[in-house]
Amino acid sequence: MGGNMDDKTVIHSRISKTVERLAPSGIRAFFDLVLNMKDVISLGVGEPDFVTPWLIREKAISSLEEGFTSYTSNKGMIELRRDIDRFLSERYGLRYDPENEILLTVGVSEGVDLAVRAILNPGEKVLVPEPAYVSYGPVVELAGGKPVYLKTDLTSGFKITPQLIEEACAREGAVKAMVINYPANPTGTSYSRRELSAMAAVIKKHDLIVISDEVYDELTYDFDHTPFASLPGMRDRVVYLNGFSKAYAMTGFRLGWASGPADVVAAMTKIHQYTMLCVSITAQMAAREALRHGRKSMLEMKREYNRRRRFIVDALNKIGLNCHMPQGAFYVFPSIAKTGQSSLDFAQGLLKKKKVALVPGTAFGPSCNGFVRISYASSYENLKEAVARIDAYLKEL
Amino acid sequence: MDEILEMLMKDARLTAEEIAKMTGQDAAAVRKKIKQYEKSGVIVQYKTVINQDMAHDNGSFVRALIEVSINPQRDVGFDNVAERIYSFAEVSSCYLVSGTYDLLVVVEGENLQTVSNFIASKLSPLANVRSTTTHFLLKKYKEDGFVLKKGKPQKRLNISY
């Protein structure tokens, strides 16, 4: 234990005010409890329960054996950027110039951060959905901006509507951008082409930039995913973010990409080159394999998620928890309102008494009390057992 | 392939109700389809995948892959000879293959002796069997899509984002 009394006074003021004001991620706070318990069924984990398909891992291993251990260009290997352009054009009819409109990022998380920092001046406002993935608001704050939350609820299936955007813009005055994420973490909510088009009209009217996190795009079950950038007139105002973590079970590789108009991508690249330099070459080699040959494995995993999705929604509703059918990702967001408990009390009680871990809704925004997030990226046996335990817990209340 | 069959191939214990729920179909319809598959022979049998090397605890279990060359017969080709071979209970699998031999026959027995005896006294002397080449199996790594080694359980960190 080093340090003395004099040091302490320094500690008090040396953290930036902005950072001090930020609340730590609610998910992490809760899962520090879980880490120390045994025999817990965890439905809290926001990542695939599959290991990265072997053909992708094998490519990573052999690339190391072949000596691919260097830096790459700041934007990432041109071959991978070309593969991404080809993928987007074949899948969605979207074209991005691999030379200056695509940037490889350390997961979509870095992509969100770069996009926000590239466009925001101090004090500028960004619309952020609620509930939403935990990083959007804090990242806007770190960039000196002001997040404005669009609160959605169960009655609309947690959807952002054109009306919500209109109201927020009218209330807040000048708004610079909007973050959207679909299929969404934590609700699994997604949008049809028509719903997105209606949103696009309002976005055009208020001249917003859209930061669209579409990392769960491949895990859309009931209709075809429509990238925001593919809507008429939207390409030039959308930063399209995607990655390999969810579809290809590659969370630990930390690889995503941003594609968008050249000026925004250039600005993002400027920040990336000073802070990150480039993404790991091993991850890039693996990702090329994923795009070229991983589709079959990916679709197999997707079908498995879809089966579990139907099972879990049916099972939760049967034990009396109101749960809407999500259109994508691998989360359900049931209401626990009828228990009268707060999200946190419910989650802690369930963990202590029945050893099932899920995430309290409040981790995704203060308006989400009365909800919990359940990840169904877990084996069928685990899901069955977990539902039985939740049922028992409800009956004891 | 029908999704019902795919799911049963992985887990034969799934009930029609469970499959119905997970595929978004009606339970009665799934039950009916399964019955039809059983009747028409698409579903042959429900069985359990056993690691034989572990189950025969005294280690007395051998398996041989035998390449069999045969003289095809007028009109029926290889089928008659194949039937004479696969009808033996000792034969667990029998395939007609392209290449330098005709039938690939898998024979199981308690020990080397019983399997060799079967080949020498039953298989080789059959009319129209020209020659056999026997490979005794030393170790099975993977069978029908299942890796037989009991792997260490994947330690998944309780990390959530």
Side-chain angles (χ1 to χ4, degrees):
Chain A
M1 302 294 275
N4 55 40
M5 294 274 271
D6 289 344
D7 286 345
K8 252 187 187 164
T9 55
V10 180
I11 287 167
H12 215 68
S13 57
R14 70 181 174 193
I15 303 302
S16 117
K17 294 249 184 315
T18 314
V19 174
E20 263 191 343
R21 266 200 310 272
L22 281 185
S25 161
I27 302 187
R28 292 259 24 94
F30 184 73
F31 271 79
D32 286 341
L33 287 175
V34 182
L35 277 172
N36 301 321
M37 288 181 71
K38 273 194 166 165
D39 304 318
V40 172
I41 298 182
S42 179
L43 304 183
V45 186
E47 68 174 334
D49 64 319
F50 300 102
V51 185
T52 311
W54 173 246
L55 88 167
I56 298 172
R57 281 184 283 156
E58 204 274 335
K59 182 69 188 180
I61 295 165
S62 62
S63 80
L64 288 171
E65 285 172 343
E66 287 161 27
F68 286 97
T69 57
S70 62
Y71 292 130
T72 69
S73 87
N74 291 130
K75 288 198 179 98
M77 300 167 79
I78 185 67
E79 295 87 347
L80 177 54
R81 283 182 276 144
R82 285 194 191 117
D83 285 350
I84 288 171
D85 169 49
R86 191 174 311 124
F87 162 75
L88 289 174
S89 108
E90 281 169 12
R91 178 114 172 79
Y92 298 122
L94 261 178
R95 291 311 298 260
Y96 286 100
D97 185 348
E99 295 290 344
N100 56 21
E101 293 185 317
I102 297 174
L103 166 68
L104 273 303
T105 57
V106 180
V108 173
S109 303
E110 194 210 352
V112 176
D113 182 35
L114 293 180
V116 163
R117 282 203 275 167
I119 63 171
L120 282 191
N121 294 300
E124 286 183 327
K125 293 170 182 169
V126 179
L127 304 182
V128 175
E130 180 176 332
Y133 174 60
V134 295
S135 88
Y136 305 140
V139 157
V140 169
E141 286 180 53
L142 283 171
K146 182 173 176 279
V148 174
Y149 292 95
L150 301 175
K151 288 180 181 144
T152 62
D153 58 29
L154 182 60
T155 46
S156 66
F158 300 101
K159 283 188 182 186
I160 297 174
T161 57
Q163 199 188 342
L164 269 178
I165 303 172
E166 279 283 10
E167 284 167 9
C169 288
R171 196 176 60 237
E172 299 288 337
V175 174
K176 180 82 172 253
M178 176 173 109
V179 177
I180 188 167
N181 164 226
Y182 65 98
N185 178 4
T187 57
T189 293
S190 195
Y191 303 88
S192 67
R193 195 178 179 83
R194 244 184 54 200
E195 292 169 315
L196 292 169
S197 298
M199 243 187 271
V202 184
I203 279 158
K204 208 168 182 177
K205 180 177 157 198
H206 293 281
D207 195 24
L208 304 180
I209 298 168
V210 179
I211 299 167
S212 192
D213 175 352
E214 301 179 29
V215 73
Y216 294 98
D217 69 334
E218 296 285 12
L219 304 178
T220 303
Y221 306 109
D222 298 328
F223 45 78
D224 281 336
H225 178 84
T226 305
F228 216 97
S230 70
L231 297 166
M234 283 296 114
R235 189 187 180 282
D236 194 48
R237 55 173 77 241
V238 174
V239 182
Y240 170 97
L241 303 174
N242 203 339
F244 297 86
S245 295
K246 312 296 181 175
Y248 296 98
M250 290 173 68
T251 51
F253 284 86
R254 308 302 309 119
L255 189 62
W257 81 83
S259 36
D263 59 332
V264 179
V265 171
M268 291 170 70
T269 306
K270 215 189 271 179
I271 306 169
H272 177 78
Q273 76 185 2
Y274 289 130
T275 52
M276 207 59 77
L277 220 167
C278 72
V279 169
S280 132
I281 191 171
T282 310
Q284 296 188 51
M285 296 298 282
R288 288 187 65 194
E289 187 68 13
L291 282 184
R292 284 170 175 240
H293 304 292
R295 192 147 190 92
K296 189 165 168 275
S297 308
M298 185 273 287
L299 291 174
E300 181 59 36
M301 292 188 275
K302 173 185 172 178
R303 277 204 307 214
E304 192 58 45
Y305 292 136
N306 193 7
R307 288 169 196 152
R308 296 172 190 173
R309 172 182 73 127
R310 294 198 179 104
F311 165 78
I312 195 86
V313 171
D314 179 81
L316 289 174
N317 280 306
K318 264 190 188 136
I319 63 172
L321 293 183
N322 185 6
C323 180
H324 82 298
M325 178 66 88
Q327 295 89 21
F330 37 59
Y331 308 107
V332 286
F333 204 60
S335 163
I336 49 118
K338 66 162 213 168
T339 64
Q341 284 189 316
S342 73
S343 293
L344 190 61
D345 287 346
F346 180 90
Q348 280 176 341
L350 183 64
L351 180 63
K352 268 185 210 138
K353 288 191 181 149
K354 300 293 172 194
K355 297 198 168 181
V356 175
L358 33 70
V359 184
T362 38
F364 307 98
S367 70
C368 306
N369 198 11
F371 293 92
V372 291
R373 186 190 79 175
I374 290 177
S375 158
Y376 53 86
S378 190
S379 74
Y380 179 54
E381 284 71 31
N382 270 349
L383 292 177
K384 263 206 299 201
E385 173 64 19
V387 169
R389 290 190 195 182
I390 296 171
D391 190 26
Y393 177 68
L394 288 173
K395 282 175 179 147
E396 286 169 24
L397 284 178
Chain B
M1 203 195 315
D2 187 347
E3 196 176 2
I4 297 176
L5 295 175
E6 269 174 48
M7 292 176 74
L8 284 173
M9 271 176 73
K10 278 196 197 137
D11 184 357
R13 290 181 305 177
L14 286 175
T15 64
E17 285 70 25
E18 288 175 308
I19 293 172
K21 218 177 280 169
M22 286 192 274
T23 58
Q25 300 180 62
D26 175 58
V30 172
R31 214 174 296 121
K32 197 173 148 199
K33 262 190 178 169
I34 292 176
K35 277 270 169 292
Q36 276 167 357
Y37 284 135
E38 288 168 353
K39 225 170 132 189
S40 64
V42 172
I43 293 178
V44 180
Q45 182 66 271
Y46 299 92
K47 67 169 217 173
T48 308
V49 181
I50 303 276
N51 185 341
Q52 302 263 17
D53 293 339
M54 291 172 79
H56 292 258
D57 30 28
N58 52 3
S60 60
F61 180 79
V62 293
R63 187 183 277 228
L65 308 179
I66 306 160
E67 304 169 3
V68 183
S69 296
I70 54 186
N71 297 319
Q73 294 166 283
R74 190 180 298 280
D75 298 332
V76 292
F78 298 98
D79 293 353
N80 274 7
V81 187
E83 186 176 356
R84 293 195 70 135
I85 292 174
Y86 68 63
S87 296
F88 286 111
E90 288 86 343
V91 173
S92 63
S93 304
C94 180
Y95 312 97
L96 179 65
V97 296
S98 65
T100 53
Y101 58 93
D102 306 304
L103 293 180
L104 177 63
V105 175
V106 183
V107 171
E108 291 174 350
E110 278 186 359
N111 51 45
L112 286 177
Q113 207 67 45
T114 51
V115 173
S116 320
N117 278 347
F118 172 77
I119 297 162
S121 63
K122 305 285 188 211
L123 195 57
S124 299
L126 277 180
N128 296 312
V129 167
R130 253 194 342 250
S131 70
T132 62
T133 308
T134 302
H135 308 273
F136 279 102
L137 199 142
L138 302 180
K139 187 171 182 179
K140 281 202 285 182
Y141 294 101
K142 185 177 182 182
E143 195 164 59
D144 297 335
F146 296 97
V147 174
L148 297 171
K149 188 175 77 175
K150 185 97 185 145
K152 280 189 215 122
Q154 270 291 332
K155 179 74 183 133
R156 194 179 175 208
L157 297 173
N158 250 328
I159 299 289
S160 188
Y161 294 102

